[in-house]
Amino acid sequence: MTAQTRNPFDARARDWDTRPISRQLADVPPRLLARLPLTGGEHVLDFGAGTGLLAAAIAPHAASVTALDTSAGMLQVLREKGLPNVQTLQQDIHDGLPRRYDAIVSCMALHHVADLPALLRAFAHALAPGGRVALVDLYAEDGSFHGDNAAKGVHHLGFEPARLQRQAEDAGLADVGFEEIARIQRESRAYPLFLMTGRRAEP
Ligand SMILES: C[S@@+](CC[C@H](N)C(=O)[O-])C[C@H]1O[C@@H](n2cnc3c(N)ncnc32)[C@H](O)[C@@H]1O
């Protein structure tokens, strides 16, 4: 999907922050920050930032947060929050990035990207020396989380950590680790989410 293509998230942007699932994800930013200590001087990229639920929590602890997303609607809601050190960047991650970052974070966006190895290579390439990643998404599930996966632009029914770790290491990341960070309750089922941490492999 390019920034020019109609993005299915545009129509969902206004109500995004009050969705039950967004409320259930409220614990993710502080838990992620506990595993990604920041000193206040870092430039951080939030991939698939949406309305900035993660970016807003990170911004007070960083020099800047670049909120990258293809959805104009989601980024408009984020801009209306008036966060002084959060810049929006409406583009596809595969179209190249304007600079390098000390950290790349993401919440629930990986499963929307078809070519995951290319995404991980883009992350590794965009990290400054010593740069780290902290990425949150679903553990492998049976497709019931989104239900209508094709209509919602879902390319992966969650992820197996061992495979994702191999892909991340092949892409140029090191010290890759996983832990459960949250669970989303939908009807009678609980869907666990992982936090994947890692750093740019040194040459
Ligand atoms: C499920 S939403 C998550 C939004 C936010 N991180 C949150 O947790 O509320 C996924 C977001 O990823 C964005 N996205 C999907 N593929 C993308 C791509 N290739 N480049 C940039 N953004 C993308 C979508 O537009 C959408 O806003």
Side-chain angles (χ1 to χ4, degrees), residues 1 7 9 12 16-17 19 22 25 46-54 68-71 74 91-94 106-109 111-113 119 146:
M1 183 186 301
N7 187 311
F9 285 96
R12 305 169 65 193
W16 190 261
D17 291 5
R19 301 177 313 153
S22 293
L25 290 172
D46 182 358
F47 166 67
T51 60
L53 293 173
L54 181 54
L68 183 147
D69 206 292
T70 46
S71 166
M74 295 289 258
Q91 65 159 79
D92 193 292
I93 184 77
H94 299 307
S106 184
C107 182
M108 295 295 276
H111 61 257
H112 291 291
V113 178
L119 176 69
H146 291 91

PDB file of all heavy atoms in Angstrom, residues 1 7 9 12 16-17 19 22 25 46-54 68-71 74 91-94 106-109 111-113 119 146, ligand 1:
ATOM      1  N   MET A   1       0.843  -1.194   0.000  1.00  0.00           N
ATOM      2  CA  MET A   1       0.000   0.000   0.000  1.00  0.00           C
ATOM      3  C   MET A   1       0.881   1.248   0.000  1.00  0.00           C
ATOM      4  O   MET A   1       1.838   1.340   0.735  1.00  0.00           O
ATOM      5  CB  MET A   1      -0.872  -0.041   1.265  1.00  0.00           C
ATOM      6  CG  MET A   1      -1.853   1.085   1.369  1.00  0.00           C
ATOM      7  SD  MET A   1      -2.683   1.024   2.958  1.00  0.00           S
ATOM      8  CE  MET A   1      -3.426  -0.589   2.900  1.00  0.00           C
ATOM      9  N   ASN A   7      -6.490   4.113   2.477  1.00  0.00           N
ATOM     10  CA  ASN A   7      -6.029   3.277   3.572  1.00  0.00           C
ATOM     11  C   ASN A   7      -7.225   2.914   4.449  1.00  0.00           C
ATOM     12  O   ASN A   7      -7.945   3.804   4.917  1.00  0.00           O
ATOM     13  CB  ASN A   7      -4.986   4.064   4.381  1.00  0.00           C
ATOM     14  CG  ASN A   7      -4.320   3.227   5.445  1.00  0.00           C
ATOM     15  OD1 ASN A   7      -4.988   2.549   6.213  1.00  0.00           O
ATOM     16  ND2 ASN A   7      -2.996   3.275   5.481  1.00  0.00           N
ATOM     17  N   PHE A   9      -7.433   2.233   7.390  1.00  0.00           N
ATOM     18  CA  PHE A   9      -7.376   2.790   8.743  1.00  0.00           C
ATOM     19  C   PHE A   9      -7.920   4.219   8.798  1.00  0.00           C
ATOM     20  O   PHE A   9      -8.269   4.704   9.874  1.00  0.00           O
ATOM     21  CB  PHE A   9      -5.940   2.745   9.283  1.00  0.00           C
ATOM     22  CG  PHE A   9      -5.532   1.360   9.695  1.00  0.00           C
ATOM     23  CD1 PHE A   9      -4.829   0.554   8.822  1.00  0.00           C
ATOM     24  CD2 PHE A   9      -5.880   0.851  10.939  1.00  0.00           C
ATOM     25  CE1 PHE A   9      -4.471  -0.735   9.184  1.00  0.00           C
ATOM     26  CE2 PHE A   9      -5.533  -0.428  11.311  1.00  0.00           C
ATOM     27  CZ  PHE A   9      -4.820  -1.230  10.430  1.00  0.00           C
ATOM     28  N   ARG A  12     -11.241   4.484  10.405  1.00  0.00           N
ATOM     29  CA  ARG A  12     -11.320   4.038  11.801  1.00  0.00           C
ATOM     30  C   ARG A  12     -10.610   4.988  12.751  1.00  0.00           C
ATOM     31  O   ARG A  12     -10.606   4.791  13.968  1.00  0.00           O
ATOM     32  CB  ARG A  12     -10.706   2.632  11.896  1.00  0.00           C
ATOM     33  CG  ARG A  12     -11.370   1.651  10.922  1.00  0.00           C
ATOM     34  CD  ARG A  12     -10.605   0.353  10.827  1.00  0.00           C
ATOM     35  NE  ARG A  12     -10.619  -0.381  12.074  1.00  0.00           N
ATOM     36  CZ  ARG A  12      -9.827  -1.423  12.339  1.00  0.00           C
ATOM     37  NH1 ARG A  12      -8.964  -1.836  11.450  1.00  0.00           N
ATOM     38  NH2 ARG A  12      -9.903  -2.039  13.487  1.00  0.00           N
ATOM     39  N   TRP A  16     -10.425   5.480  17.086  1.00  0.00           N
ATOM     40  CA  TRP A  16      -9.363   4.509  17.382  1.00  0.00           C
ATOM     41  C   TRP A  16      -9.016   4.444  18.878  1.00  0.00           C
ATOM     42  O   TRP A  16      -8.925   3.373  19.471  1.00  0.00           O
ATOM     43  CB  TRP A  16      -8.113   4.841  16.567  1.00  0.00           C
ATOM     44  CG  TRP A  16      -7.084   3.764  16.634  1.00  0.00           C
ATOM     45  CD1 TRP A  16      -5.969   3.732  17.427  1.00  0.00           C
ATOM     46  CD2 TRP A  16      -7.091   2.534  15.893  1.00  0.00           C
ATOM     47  NE1 TRP A  16      -5.278   2.566  17.221  1.00  0.00           N
ATOM     48  CE2 TRP A  16      -5.947   1.823  16.282  1.00  0.00           C
ATOM     49  CE3 TRP A  16      -7.958   1.986  14.942  1.00  0.00           C
ATOM     50  CZ2 TRP A  16      -5.643   0.564  15.748  1.00  0.00           C
ATOM     51  CZ3 TRP A  16      -7.653   0.743  14.412  1.00  0.00           C
ATOM     52  CH2 TRP A  16      -6.508   0.043  14.817  1.00  0.00           C
ATOM     53  N   ASP A  17      -8.852   5.604  19.480  1.00  0.00           N
ATOM     54  CA  ASP A  17      -8.335   5.618  20.856  1.00  0.00           C
ATOM     55  C   ASP A  17      -9.349   5.109  21.875  1.00  0.00           C
ATOM     56  O   ASP A  17      -8.966   4.724  22.981  1.00  0.00           O
ATOM     57  CB  ASP A  17      -7.903   7.044  21.247  1.00  0.00           C
ATOM     58  CG  ASP A  17      -6.667   7.495  20.483  1.00  0.00           C
ATOM     59  OD1 ASP A  17      -6.205   6.751  19.594  1.00  0.00           O
ATOM     60  OD2 ASP A  17      -6.166   8.600  20.788  1.00  0.00           O
ATOM     61  N   ARG A  19     -11.543   2.609  21.227  1.00  0.00           N
ATOM     62  CA  ARG A  19     -11.890   1.200  20.986  1.00  0.00           C
ATOM     63  C   ARG A  19     -11.527   0.370  22.217  1.00  0.00           C
ATOM     64  O   ARG A  19     -10.505   0.627  22.864  1.00  0.00           O
ATOM     65  CB  ARG A  19     -11.071   0.586  19.838  1.00  0.00           C
ATOM     66  CG  ARG A  19     -11.134   1.185  18.498  1.00  0.00           C
ATOM     67  CD  ARG A  19     -10.173   0.415  17.587  1.00  0.00           C
ATOM     68  NE  ARG A  19      -8.859   0.219  18.219  1.00  0.00           N
ATOM     69  CZ  ARG A  19      -8.023  -0.771  17.968  1.00  0.00           C
ATOM     70  NH1 ARG A  19      -8.345  -1.712  17.091  1.00  0.00           N
ATOM     71  NH2 ARG A  19      -6.871  -0.870  18.558  1.00  0.00           N
ATOM     72  N   SER A  22      -7.869  -0.698  22.072  1.00  0.00           N
ATOM     73  CA  SER A  22      -6.887   0.334  22.414  1.00  0.00           C
ATOM     74  C   SER A  22      -6.800   0.507  23.925  1.00  0.00           C
ATOM     75  O   SER A  22      -5.709   0.691  24.484  1.00  0.00           O
ATOM     76  CB  SER A  22      -7.259   1.661  21.748  1.00  0.00           C
ATOM     77  OG  SER A  22      -7.139   1.563  20.338  1.00  0.00           O
ATOM     78  N   LEU A  25      -4.722  -2.083  25.439  1.00  0.00           N
ATOM     79  CA  LEU A  25      -3.291  -1.943  25.150  1.00  0.00           C
ATOM     80  C   LEU A  25      -2.638  -0.836  25.974  1.00  0.00           C
ATOM     81  O   LEU A  25      -1.449  -0.544  25.787  1.00  0.00           O
ATOM     82  CB  LEU A  25      -3.086  -1.648  23.655  1.00  0.00           C
ATOM     83  CG  LEU A  25      -3.394  -2.808  22.702  1.00  0.00           C
ATOM     84  CD1 LEU A  25      -3.344  -2.346  21.256  1.00  0.00           C
ATOM     85  CD2 LEU A  25      -2.394  -3.937  22.927  1.00  0.00           C
ATOM     86  N   ASP A  46       8.510   5.505  15.389  1.00  0.00           N
ATOM     87  CA  ASP A  46       7.374   4.625  15.707  1.00  0.00           C
ATOM     88  C   ASP A  46       6.781   4.183  14.373  1.00  0.00           C
ATOM     89  O   ASP A  46       6.147   4.976  13.673  1.00  0.00           O
ATOM     90  CB  ASP A  46       6.339   5.379  16.557  1.00  0.00           C
ATOM     91  CG  ASP A  46       5.159   4.498  16.959  1.00  0.00           C
ATOM     92  OD1 ASP A  46       5.105   3.316  16.551  1.00  0.00           O
ATOM     93  OD2 ASP A  46       4.278   5.010  17.686  1.00  0.00           O
ATOM     94  N   PHE A  47       7.003   2.918  14.031  1.00  0.00           N
ATOM     95  CA  PHE A  47       6.498   2.398  12.761  1.00  0.00           C
ATOM     96  C   PHE A  47       5.023   1.994  12.901  1.00  0.00           C
ATOM     97  O   PHE A  47       4.662   1.231  13.798  1.00  0.00           O
ATOM     98  CB  PHE A  47       7.313   1.165  12.313  1.00  0.00           C
ATOM     99  CG  PHE A  47       6.612   0.428  11.224  1.00  0.00           C
ATOM    100  CD1 PHE A  47       6.458   1.014   9.976  1.00  0.00           C
ATOM    101  CD2 PHE A  47       6.034  -0.813  11.450  1.00  0.00           C
ATOM    102  CE1 PHE A  47       5.750   0.379   8.977  1.00  0.00           C
ATOM    103  CE2 PHE A  47       5.333  -1.459  10.452  1.00  0.00           C
ATOM    104  CZ  PHE A  47       5.196  -0.866   9.215  1.00  0.00           C
ATOM    105  N   GLY A  48       4.188   2.487  11.982  1.00  0.00           N
ATOM    106  CA  GLY A  48       2.753   2.200  12.054  1.00  0.00           C
ATOM    107  C   GLY A  48       2.162   2.870  13.286  1.00  0.00           C
ATOM    108  O   GLY A  48       1.383   2.280  14.021  1.00  0.00           O
ATOM    109  N   ALA A  49       2.518   4.132  13.466  1.00  0.00           N
ATOM    110  CA  ALA A  49       2.203   4.844  14.715  1.00  0.00           C
ATOM    111  C   ALA A  49       0.718   5.074  14.921  1.00  0.00           C
ATOM    112  O   ALA A  49       0.265   5.269  16.053  1.00  0.00           O
ATOM    113  CB  ALA A  49       2.928   6.184  14.723  1.00  0.00           C
ATOM    114  N   GLY A  50      -0.051   5.090  13.842  1.00  0.00           N
ATOM    115  CA  GLY A  50      -1.485   5.312  13.978  1.00  0.00           C
ATOM    116  C   GLY A  50      -1.771   6.668  14.612  1.00  0.00           C
ATOM    117  O   GLY A  50      -1.216   7.704  14.216  1.00  0.00           O
ATOM    118  N   THR A  51      -2.624   6.675  15.631  1.00  0.00           N
ATOM    119  CA  THR A  51      -2.993   7.921  16.314  1.00  0.00           C
ATOM    120  C   THR A  51      -1.995   8.297  17.407  1.00  0.00           C
ATOM    121  O   THR A  51      -2.241   9.234  18.164  1.00  0.00           O
ATOM    122  CB  THR A  51      -4.393   7.786  16.940  1.00  0.00           C
ATOM    123  OG1 THR A  51      -4.343   6.693  17.885  1.00  0.00           O
ATOM    124  CG2 THR A  51      -5.462   7.503  15.893  1.00  0.00           C
ATOM    125  N   GLY A  52      -0.933   7.536  17.512  1.00  0.00           N
ATOM    126  CA  GLY A  52       0.155   7.917  18.423  1.00  0.00           C
ATOM    127  C   GLY A  52       0.006   7.443  19.851  1.00  0.00           C
ATOM    128  O   GLY A  52       0.597   8.039  20.756  1.00  0.00           O
ATOM    129  N   LEU A  53      -0.719   6.349  20.066  1.00  0.00           N
ATOM    130  CA  LEU A  53      -0.887   5.872  21.446  1.00  0.00           C
ATOM    131  C   LEU A  53       0.460   5.497  22.065  1.00  0.00           C
ATOM    132  O   LEU A  53       0.684   5.724  23.259  1.00  0.00           O
ATOM    133  CB  LEU A  53      -1.857   4.690  21.478  1.00  0.00           C
ATOM    134  CG  LEU A  53      -3.299   5.046  21.103  1.00  0.00           C
ATOM    135  CD1 LEU A  53      -4.163   3.791  20.984  1.00  0.00           C
ATOM    136  CD2 LEU A  53      -3.901   5.999  22.145  1.00  0.00           C
ATOM    137  N   LEU A  54       1.349   4.933  21.268  1.00  0.00           N
ATOM    138  CA  LEU A  54       2.692   4.603  21.759  1.00  0.00           C
ATOM    139  C   LEU A  54       3.603   5.830  21.683  1.00  0.00           C
ATOM    140  O   LEU A  54       4.337   6.135  22.632  1.00  0.00           O
ATOM    141  CB  LEU A  54       3.260   3.441  20.937  1.00  0.00           C
ATOM    142  CG  LEU A  54       4.649   2.929  21.311  1.00  0.00           C
ATOM    143  CD1 LEU A  54       4.742   2.551  22.785  1.00  0.00           C
ATOM    144  CD2 LEU A  54       5.021   1.729  20.427  1.00  0.00           C
ATOM    145  N   LEU A  68       5.566   7.324  11.880  1.00  0.00           N
ATOM    146  CA  LEU A  68       5.438   6.981  10.459  1.00  0.00           C
ATOM    147  C   LEU A  68       4.199   6.121  10.245  1.00  0.00           C
ATOM    148  O   LEU A  68       3.982   5.138  10.961  1.00  0.00           O
ATOM    149  CB  LEU A  68       6.683   6.211  10.002  1.00  0.00           C
ATOM    150  CG  LEU A  68       6.735   5.832   8.520  1.00  0.00           C
ATOM    151  CD1 LEU A  68       8.178   5.856   8.027  1.00  0.00           C
ATOM    152  CD2 LEU A  68       6.136   4.463   8.259  1.00  0.00           C
ATOM    153  N   ASP A  69       3.395   6.495   9.264  1.00  0.00           N
ATOM    154  CA  ASP A  69       2.193   5.723   8.960  1.00  0.00           C
ATOM    155  C   ASP A  69       1.732   6.098   7.550  1.00  0.00           C
ATOM    156  O   ASP A  69       1.934   7.231   7.103  1.00  0.00           O
ATOM    157  CB  ASP A  69       1.077   6.036   9.966  1.00  0.00           C
ATOM    158  CG  ASP A  69       0.089   4.883  10.105  1.00  0.00           C
ATOM    159  OD1 ASP A  69      -0.638   4.613   9.126  1.00  0.00           O
ATOM    160  OD2 ASP A  69       0.061   4.242  11.179  1.00  0.00           O
ATOM    161  N   THR A  70       1.103   5.151   6.862  1.00  0.00           N
ATOM    162  CA  THR A  70       0.549   5.458   5.552  1.00  0.00           C
ATOM    163  C   THR A  70      -0.823   6.125   5.657  1.00  0.00           C
ATOM    164  O   THR A  70      -1.298   6.705   4.685  1.00  0.00           O
ATOM    165  CB  THR A  70       0.395   4.165   4.720  1.00  0.00           C
ATOM    166  OG1 THR A  70      -0.196   3.171   5.551  1.00  0.00           O
ATOM    167  CG2 THR A  70       1.731   3.681   4.199  1.00  0.00           C
ATOM    168  N   SER A  71      -1.462   6.044   6.809  1.00  0.00           N
ATOM    169  CA  SER A  71      -2.836   6.535   6.938  1.00  0.00           C
ATOM    170  C   SER A  71      -2.875   8.017   7.290  1.00  0.00           C
ATOM    171  O   SER A  71      -2.503   8.432   8.397  1.00  0.00           O
ATOM    172  CB  SER A  71      -3.572   5.732   8.022  1.00  0.00           C
ATOM    173  OG  SER A  71      -4.777   6.385   8.376  1.00  0.00           O
ATOM    174  N   MET A  74      -5.226   8.553  10.423  1.00  0.00           N
ATOM    175  CA  MET A  74      -4.635   8.238  11.731  1.00  0.00           C
ATOM    176  C   MET A  74      -3.666   9.349  12.138  1.00  0.00           C
ATOM    177  O   MET A  74      -3.681   9.820  13.284  1.00  0.00           O
ATOM    178  CB  MET A  74      -3.900   6.892  11.662  1.00  0.00           C
ATOM    179  CG  MET A  74      -4.805   5.684  11.403  1.00  0.00           C
ATOM    180  SD  MET A  74      -5.865   5.239  12.786  1.00  0.00           S
ATOM    181  CE  MET A  74      -4.977   3.833  13.457  1.00  0.00           C
ATOM    182  N   GLN A  91       4.085   8.002   4.939  1.00  0.00           N
ATOM    183  CA  GLN A  91       4.695   7.273   3.831  1.00  0.00           C
ATOM    184  C   GLN A  91       4.756   5.788   4.178  1.00  0.00           C
ATOM    185  O   GLN A  91       4.558   5.388   5.325  1.00  0.00           O
ATOM    186  CB  GLN A  91       6.106   7.785   3.549  1.00  0.00           C
ATOM    187  CG  GLN A  91       7.096   7.546   4.696  1.00  0.00           C
ATOM    188  CD  GLN A  91       8.540   7.582   4.240  1.00  0.00           C
ATOM    189  OE1 GLN A  91       9.093   8.641   4.062  1.00  0.00           O
ATOM    190  NE2 GLN A  91       9.139   6.405   4.065  1.00  0.00           N
ATOM    191  N   ASP A  92       5.045   4.996   3.162  1.00  0.00           N
ATOM    192  CA  ASP A  92       5.261   3.577   3.362  1.00  0.00           C
ATOM    193  C   ASP A  92       6.677   3.370   3.865  1.00  0.00           C
ATOM    194  O   ASP A  92       7.606   4.030   3.395  1.00  0.00           O
ATOM    195  CB  ASP A  92       5.054   2.838   2.036  1.00  0.00           C
ATOM    196  CG  ASP A  92       4.961   1.339   2.245  1.00  0.00           C
ATOM    197  OD1 ASP A  92       5.980   0.731   2.624  1.00  0.00           O
ATOM    198  OD2 ASP A  92       3.876   0.783   2.030  1.00  0.00           O
ATOM    199  N   ILE A  93       6.847   2.459   4.788  1.00  0.00           N
ATOM    200  CA  ILE A  93       8.176   2.178   5.339  1.00  0.00           C
ATOM    201  C   ILE A  93       9.140   1.747   4.237  1.00  0.00           C
ATOM    202  O   ILE A  93      10.347   1.994   4.306  1.00  0.00           O
ATOM    203  CB  ILE A  93       8.094   1.094   6.441  1.00  0.00           C
ATOM    204  CG1 ILE A  93       9.452   0.835   7.113  1.00  0.00           C
ATOM    205  CG2 ILE A  93       7.544  -0.215   5.918  1.00  0.00           C
ATOM    206  CD1 ILE A  93       9.868   1.865   8.088  1.00  0.00           C
ATOM    207  N   HIS A  94       8.616   1.120   3.177  1.00  0.00           N
ATOM    208  CA  HIS A  94       9.493   0.618   2.121  1.00  0.00           C
ATOM    209  C   HIS A  94       9.988   1.724   1.184  1.00  0.00           C
ATOM    210  O   HIS A  94      10.799   1.465   0.306  1.00  0.00           O
ATOM    211  CB  HIS A  94       8.776  -0.459   1.300  1.00  0.00           C
ATOM    212  CG  HIS A  94       8.369  -1.646   2.121  1.00  0.00           C
ATOM    213  ND1 HIS A  94       9.239  -2.343   2.917  1.00  0.00           N
ATOM    214  CD2 HIS A  94       7.168  -2.264   2.269  1.00  0.00           C
ATOM    215  CE1 HIS A  94       8.603  -3.334   3.524  1.00  0.00           C
ATOM    216  NE2 HIS A  94       7.349  -3.300   3.149  1.00  0.00           N
ATOM    217  N   SER A 106       7.249  -0.170  17.681  1.00  0.00           N
ATOM    218  CA  SER A 106       6.051  -0.428  16.892  1.00  0.00           C
ATOM    219  C   SER A 106       5.072  -1.228  17.731  1.00  0.00           C
ATOM    220  O   SER A 106       5.479  -2.056  18.547  1.00  0.00           O
ATOM    221  CB  SER A 106       6.410  -1.230  15.628  1.00  0.00           C
ATOM    222  OG  SER A 106       5.267  -1.404  14.816  1.00  0.00           O
ATOM    223  N   CYS A 107       3.783  -0.967  17.529  1.00  0.00           N
ATOM    224  CA  CYS A 107       2.746  -1.733  18.231  1.00  0.00           C
ATOM    225  C   CYS A 107       1.667  -2.147  17.236  1.00  0.00           C
ATOM    226  O   CYS A 107       0.992  -1.273  16.651  1.00  0.00           O
ATOM    227  CB  CYS A 107       2.138  -0.900  19.367  1.00  0.00           C
ATOM    228  SG  CYS A 107       0.895  -1.795  20.314  1.00  0.00           S
ATOM    229  N   MET A 108       1.530  -3.431  17.030  1.00  0.00           N
ATOM    230  CA  MET A 108       0.444  -4.013  16.235  1.00  0.00           C
ATOM    231  C   MET A 108       0.452  -3.572  14.766  1.00  0.00           C
ATOM    232  O   MET A 108      -0.606  -3.480  14.135  1.00  0.00           O
ATOM    233  CB  MET A 108      -0.914  -3.686  16.870  1.00  0.00           C
ATOM    234  CG  MET A 108      -1.115  -4.308  18.230  1.00  0.00           C
ATOM    235  SD  MET A 108      -1.160  -6.115  18.171  1.00  0.00           S
ATOM    236  CE  MET A 108      -2.871  -6.393  17.731  1.00  0.00           C
ATOM    237  N   ALA A 109       1.631  -3.311  14.227  1.00  0.00           N
ATOM    238  CA  ALA A 109       1.718  -2.914  12.813  1.00  0.00           C
ATOM    239  C   ALA A 109       2.443  -3.958  11.963  1.00  0.00           C
ATOM    240  O   ALA A 109       2.236  -4.006  10.747  1.00  0.00           O
ATOM    241  CB  ALA A 109       2.413  -1.564  12.691  1.00  0.00           C
ATOM    242  N   HIS A 111       2.055  -7.074  11.509  1.00  0.00           N
ATOM    243  CA  HIS A 111       1.215  -8.053  10.805  1.00  0.00           C
ATOM    244  C   HIS A 111       0.526  -7.456   9.578  1.00  0.00           C
ATOM    245  O   HIS A 111      -0.079  -8.185   8.797  1.00  0.00           O
ATOM    246  CB  HIS A 111       0.207  -8.732  11.757  1.00  0.00           C
ATOM    247  CG  HIS A 111      -0.758  -7.794  12.405  1.00  0.00           C
ATOM    248  ND1 HIS A 111      -0.636  -7.374  13.709  1.00  0.00           N
ATOM    249  CD2 HIS A 111      -1.887  -7.207  11.939  1.00  0.00           C
ATOM    250  CE1 HIS A 111      -1.633  -6.565  14.021  1.00  0.00           C
ATOM    251  NE2 HIS A 111      -2.415  -6.456  12.962  1.00  0.00           N
ATOM    252  N   HIS A 112       0.655  -6.156   9.403  1.00  0.00           N
ATOM    253  CA  HIS A 112       0.085  -5.508   8.213  1.00  0.00           C
ATOM    254  C   HIS A 112       1.082  -5.391   7.062  1.00  0.00           C
ATOM    255  O   HIS A 112       0.734  -4.845   6.018  1.00  0.00           O
ATOM    256  CB  HIS A 112      -0.433  -4.117   8.575  1.00  0.00           C
ATOM    257  CG  HIS A 112      -1.642  -4.156   9.461  1.00  0.00           C
ATOM    258  ND1 HIS A 112      -2.878  -4.596   9.023  1.00  0.00           N
ATOM    259  CD2 HIS A 112      -1.806  -3.848  10.781  1.00  0.00           C
ATOM    260  CE1 HIS A 112      -3.747  -4.538  10.020  1.00  0.00           C
ATOM    261  NE2 HIS A 112      -3.121  -4.095  11.100  1.00  0.00           N
ATOM    262  N   VAL A 113       2.294  -5.871   7.251  1.00  0.00           N
ATOM    263  CA  VAL A 113       3.324  -5.736   6.221  1.00  0.00           C
ATOM    264  C   VAL A 113       3.610  -7.101   5.599  1.00  0.00           C
ATOM    265  O   VAL A 113       4.056  -8.027   6.289  1.00  0.00           O
ATOM    266  CB  VAL A 113       4.616  -5.146   6.821  1.00  0.00           C
ATOM    267  CG1 VAL A 113       5.705  -5.047   5.758  1.00  0.00           C
ATOM    268  CG2 VAL A 113       4.325  -3.779   7.427  1.00  0.00           C
ATOM    269  N   LEU A 119      10.916  -5.514   5.722  1.00  0.00           N
ATOM    270  CA  LEU A 119      10.645  -4.568   6.811  1.00  0.00           C
ATOM    271  C   LEU A 119      11.775  -4.607   7.834  1.00  0.00           C
ATOM    272  O   LEU A 119      12.268  -3.562   8.280  1.00  0.00           O
ATOM    273  CB  LEU A 119       9.311  -4.916   7.484  1.00  0.00           C
ATOM    274  CG  LEU A 119       8.956  -4.057   8.700  1.00  0.00           C
ATOM    275  CD1 LEU A 119       8.639  -2.629   8.271  1.00  0.00           C
ATOM    276  CD2 LEU A 119       7.787  -4.650   9.472  1.00  0.00           C
ATOM    277  N   HIS A 146      -8.578 -10.939  14.002  1.00  0.00           N
ATOM    278  CA  HIS A 146      -9.183  -9.896  13.167  1.00  0.00           C
ATOM    279  C   HIS A 146     -10.463 -10.369  12.500  1.00  0.00           C
ATOM    280  O   HIS A 146     -11.281  -9.556  12.092  1.00  0.00           O
ATOM    281  CB  HIS A 146      -8.210  -9.451  12.066  1.00  0.00           C
ATOM    282  CG  HIS A 146      -7.023  -8.694  12.569  1.00  0.00           C
ATOM    283  ND1 HIS A 146      -5.844  -9.313  12.915  1.00  0.00           N
ATOM    284  CD2 HIS A 146      -6.826  -7.360  12.781  1.00  0.00           C
ATOM    285  CE1 HIS A 146      -4.974  -8.395  13.317  1.00  0.00           C
ATOM    286  NE2 HIS A 146      -5.534  -7.210  13.252  1.00  0.00           N
TER     287      HIS A 146
HETATM  288  C1  LIG B   1      -3.282  -1.780  13.916  1.00  0.00           C
HETATM  289  S1  LIG B   1      -2.723  -0.162  13.532  1.00  0.00           S
HETATM  290  C2  LIG B   1      -1.740   0.188  14.982  1.00  0.00           C
HETATM  291  C3  LIG B   1      -1.644   1.661  15.277  1.00  0.00           C
HETATM  292  C4  LIG B   1      -0.895   2.016  16.569  1.00  0.00           C
HETATM  293  N1  LIG B   1       0.471   1.530  16.549  1.00  0.00           N
HETATM  294  C5  LIG B   1      -1.618   1.496  17.788  1.00  0.00           C
HETATM  295  O1  LIG B   1      -1.112   0.581  18.448  1.00  0.00           O
HETATM  296  O2  LIG B   1      -2.712   2.007  18.083  1.00  0.00           O
HETATM  297  C6  LIG B   1      -1.498  -0.440  12.269  1.00  0.00           C
HETATM  298  C7  LIG B   1      -1.003   0.832  11.603  1.00  0.00           C
HETATM  299  O3  LIG B   1       0.081   0.495  10.723  1.00  0.00           O
HETATM  300  C8  LIG B   1      -0.020   1.294   9.559  1.00  0.00           C
HETATM  301  N2  LIG B   1       0.722   0.632   8.459  1.00  0.00           N
HETATM  302  C9  LIG B   1       0.454  -0.573   7.910  1.00  0.00           C
HETATM  303  N3  LIG B   1       1.343  -0.862   6.947  1.00  0.00           N
HETATM  304  C10 LIG B   1       2.197   0.190   6.864  1.00  0.00           C
HETATM  305  C11 LIG B   1       3.330   0.491   6.065  1.00  0.00           C
HETATM  306  N4  LIG B   1       3.759  -0.365   5.113  1.00  0.00           N
HETATM  307  N5  LIG B   1       4.004   1.653   6.273  1.00  0.00           N
HETATM  308  C12 LIG B   1       3.566   2.523   7.220  1.00  0.00           C
HETATM  309  N6  LIG B   1       2.481   2.297   8.013  1.00  0.00           N
HETATM  310  C13 LIG B   1       1.814   1.147   7.843  1.00  0.00           C
HETATM  311  C14 LIG B   1      -1.515   1.400   9.312  1.00  0.00           C
HETATM  312  O4  LIG B   1      -1.872   2.499   8.489  1.00  0.00           O
HETATM  313  C15 LIG B   1      -2.054   1.513  10.732  1.00  0.00           C
HETATM  314  O5  LIG B   1      -2.227   2.862  11.158  1.00  0.00           O
END
